[in-house]
């Protein structure tokens, strides 16, 4: 039995799937099992998966969403550790060896590592995520309602026995996706998290910010250059985070005997609402937000337990620029706060998704 399983959950990502599988198969330790769960793809994913033969284990299921794919994968895993690698991301060759060594160094339920943000072609943008380091006892802060800084799904490795205390997650019509939310935050209730402060994989942003924004309607028109994720705009993700938190509260109570707060604190969520309200907004609208609506935003800035005082002051000052009458200055500040790719000057240079 291998110590590590790399699970790749795929839905119509045939364009990137081979890169993800190859990155899992070419680990330096040579002992990682690779399990691919195809969630009802209609592109060429099936043929790509079949071409690997017995080098990987494949599961083909009807389309049920990411939550169903995680549930199915955890039924099959017999290794002590697992990485859920998104089909459009990749791991570096020494990822598994470094992660296993980290697990062996302490009593951890999760090891997380940074990811390089890469373009459609796989070129590094110079940005890594997350940009803030969490503390080891993330569970203590989670019980107080704080979502701790974590990389996207591909940047996390879990102790399988702990993860199986949280999963399976109920699959409903409004809870098909976001399985990584339950894994990332639920696991912190079961033990300590180890942070490796170096990038061990690539998080592929293969849609331009503008292409994402075309599918979103903000209060102030276009939100180009604000979006960072591939599938949804930031405001949509923020709204779904609230629904997922409600589900996690139920799971934590029923399976772990943990009572989580009704509401949570998370700067990523607050900055999505901030950007939606202030980007391309009139001066009057911006002032109204500061006077009447900014309380929860500034709470996640000034009371943030993961940030240094220097970062709190920097974000507060940048936010204050939104009170300047010039819309161009305000919009630039919003873009800088909302999207790390803007800071690296890479927004607009990412190839839009062709599908």
């Amino acid at each position: 039995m291998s110590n590590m399983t790399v699970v790749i959950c795929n839905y119509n990502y045939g364009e990137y799937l081979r890169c993800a599988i190859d990155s899992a198969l070419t680990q330096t330790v040579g002992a990682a099992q690779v399990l691919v769960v195809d969630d009802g793809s209609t592109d060429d994913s099936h043929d790509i998966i079949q071409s690997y033969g017995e080098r990987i284990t494949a599961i083909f299921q009807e389309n049920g969403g990411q939550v169903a794919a995680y549930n199915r994968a955890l039924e099959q895993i017999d290794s002590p550790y697992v990485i859920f690698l998104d089909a459009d991301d990749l791991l570096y060759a020494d990822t598994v060896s470094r992660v296993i060594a980290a697990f062996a160094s302490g009593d951890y339920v999760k090891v997380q590592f940074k990811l390089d943000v890469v373009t459609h072609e796989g070129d590094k943008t110079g940005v890594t995520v997350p940009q803030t380091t969490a503390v080891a006892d993330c569970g203590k802060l989670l019980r107080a309602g704080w979502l701790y800084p974590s990389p996207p799904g591909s940047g996390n490795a879990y102790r399988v026995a702990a993860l199986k205390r949280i999963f399976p997650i109920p699959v409903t019509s409004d809870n098909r996706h976001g399985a990584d939310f339950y894994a990332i935050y639920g696991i912190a209730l079961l033990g300590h998290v180890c942070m490796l402060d170096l990038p061990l994989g690539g998080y592929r942003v293969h849609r331009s910010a503008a292409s994402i924004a075309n599918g979103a309607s903000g209060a102030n028109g276009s939100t180009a250059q604000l979006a960072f994720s591939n599938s949804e705009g930031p405001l949509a993700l923020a709204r779904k985070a609230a629904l997922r938190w409600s589900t996690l509260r139920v799971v934590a109570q029923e399976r772990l005997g943990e009572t989580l707060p009704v509401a949570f604190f998370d700067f990523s969520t607050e900055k999505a609402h901030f950007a939606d309200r202030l980007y391309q907004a009139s001066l009057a609208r911006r002032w109204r937000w500061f006077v009447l609506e900014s309380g929860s935003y500034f709470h996640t800035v000034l009371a943030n337990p993961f940030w240094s005082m220097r970062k709190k002051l920097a974000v507060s000052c940048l936010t204050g620029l939104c009170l300047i009458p010039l819309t161009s200055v305000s919009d630039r500040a919003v873009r800088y706060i909302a999207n790390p790719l803007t800071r690296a000057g890479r927004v607009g240079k990412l190839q839009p998704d062709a599908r």
Side-chain angles (χ1 to χ4, degrees), residues 6 8 17 20-22 24-25 32-37 45-60:
V6 178
I8 301 172
L17 180 58
I21 295 175
D22 288 345
L25 286 173
Q33 296 178 343
V34 180
L35 169 63
V36 180
V37 180
S45 293
H46 187 278
D47 292 339
I48 292 172
I49 295 168
Q50 293 284 60
S51 72
Y52 284 89
E54 296 183 356
R55 297 173 66 196
I56 65 174
T57 301
I59 295 175
F60 298 96

Side-chain angles (χ1 to χ4, degrees), residues 80-196:
Y81 309 113
V82 62
I83 293 175
F84 281 92
L85 175 65
D86 289 342
D88 52 342
D89 294 341
L90 67 149
L91 300 176
Y92 297 158
D94 60 345
T95 300
V96 169
S97 62
R98 288 182 178 273
V99 165
I100 290 178
F103 273 118
S105 69
D107 186 19
Y108 299 110
V109 293
K110 189 185 95 158
V111 173
Q112 67 179 48
F113 46 89
K114 289 186 175 182
L115 296 173
D116 286 317
V117 179
V118 301
T119 66
H120 167 85
E121 298 84 359
D123 298 327
K124 295 179 181 179
T125 64
V127 175
T128 60
V129 287
Q131 298 188 311
T132 302
T133 301
V135 297
D137 191 3
C138 298
K140 180 179 179 180
L141 290 167
L142 190 70
R143 292 178 180 91
W146 285 96
L147 299 189
Y148 67 92
S150 172
S154 300
N156 301 276
Y158 305 94
R159 188 179 295 276
V160 172
L163 204 57
K164 286 184 176 181
R165 294 185 60 190
I166 302 163
F167 283 80
I169 297 293
V171 179
T172 63
S173 59
D174 59 353
N175 190 45
R176 289 165 47 88
H177 305 288
D180 47 354
F181 181 97
Y182 304 114
I184 288 168
Y185 299 115
I187 203 77
L189 298 172
L190 295 170
H192 285 184
V193 174
C194 175
M195 281 70 62
L196 298 180

